[in-house]
Amino acid sequence: MRVLYHLPLSPFSRKVRLVLAEKRLPFELQLEKVWERRPEYLALNPANTVPTLIEENGLAIPDSGVICEYLEEAYPDAPSLLGATLAERVEVRRLLAWFDGKMAREVTSNLLGEKFMKRLMGRGNPDGALLRTGYAALREHMGTIGMLAEQRTWLAGATLSLADFAAAAHLSALDFASDVDWSVSPATRDWYARIKSRPSFRALLADRVPGVMPPAHYADLDF
Amino acid sequence: MRVLYHLPLSPFSRKVRLVLAEKRLPFELQLEKVWERRPEYLALNPANTVPTLIEENGLAIPDSGVICEYLEEAYPDAPSLLGATLAERVEVRRLLAWFDGKMAREVTSNLLGEKFMKRLMGRGNPDGALLRTGYAALREHMGTIGMLAEQRTWLAGATLSLADFAAAAHLSALDFASDVDWSVSPATRDWYARIKSRPSFRALLADRVPGVMPPAHYADLDF
């Protein structure tokens, strides 16, 4: 069986879980506490990040971006999430870089990074200034997502793509930690309600993390 | 004519210049002072990063990672720099994420970011602690590159790939700023001398930047 090493609050792990489910590729989840720096895991993924996918043939694929490109190439009969034309694929990958680069750096690492990973990595308490920066940036990014959702059917264009799953993965992890004020952008909320109701989302909504209580609306499809 | 918006000290711009030259795709360089936040450029690339490639048909392609994937797909008759098998492509993309993610964050942004971009962006003087962190990380990354170069013909395996151009782009920008102590890793130096002697590297070695004097060995192929 295919194995995905993950952490439940990692948006990059969440994105790959959604993509594997959308492509109907079965897998088992394996919790990887990266702060323990297990030598066996470092051998699979020297960057010591989650997720890492291990295929049944033993191929180890680290990094969520590498995994998503690999899945498109390895399973050409599964539904593509990258777009059909060159221009569509540029737009999907541009938004992937936006959400997994810029939004991850400005929002997710300032909020989830400070509130959870910092403590787990033994690097002390959350920095209040970084939390404030993160919340301000989250409002800006929700504005951008809402604008895209108003102009297009899905974030990158007419079809559902990796861009939607990347953005939804960040927002779902932030929502789990009660960090999202959905009233900031009704268009973002409507788009998220649509993607959240897909069957691929069910496993994420059933996640539980010791010591973190998600808000009442977290798993509510009509929130 | 194809246009590449760039900055001479940006390793991401340098990587794309090398890749376009390797694929023999002619292009014109256009300097983009991102700190001026030109509205016309923000319309092409809302993330306001360099490089952005503009194709002759008008398609705007932001982000060096997006550009490299695009060039592989748009020009299938040009030499591929991503590898042939699924496993080779995983390794090339893993190392791309390593150099353009981890090395960029730990080394390049602490050194070139502090010494040049910070001043240009009007954010004050270099932070000495970040410079020390950057130099220490550079020695570690040169160790990793040297180890790969000793085990393999090129960094990702038997063939020259995007992984080599990504690593060489970072080192060439750092070398231009006199930040590289090549004695740290003779294997890295030997690999770099091999890639530096390729015709695609010539334009980079002819770069001049106002106010920055590269060391004497910068353009020397037998350094």
Side-chain angles (χ1 to χ4, degrees), chain A residues 63 66 73 89 93 97-98, chain B residues 47 63 66 73 89 93 97:
Chain A
D63 187 281
V66 179
E73 294 178 351
R89 295 161 79 87
R93 289 187 174 117
W98 181 277
Chain B
D63 187 280
V66 179
E73 294 177 350
R89 294 161 79 88
R93 288 188 175 116

Side-chain angles (χ1 to χ4, degrees), chain B residues 112-155:
Chain B
L112 301 182
E114 286 297 309
K115 288 166 66 175
F116 301 105
M117 285 309 284
K118 202 171 176 181
R119 180 167 46 84
L120 291 167
M121 306 291 265
R123 293 190 191 143
N125 293 320
D127 177 331
L130 293 180
L131 293 176
R132 284 189 296 279
T133 301
Y135 285 117
L138 174 55
R139 285 191 292 276
E140 292 226 4
H141 278 277
M142 288 177 77
T144 304
I145 293 169
M147 200 182 63
L148 291 169
E150 278 178 341
Q151 292 166 349
R152 303 165 169 181
T153 312
W154 294 100
L155 297 188

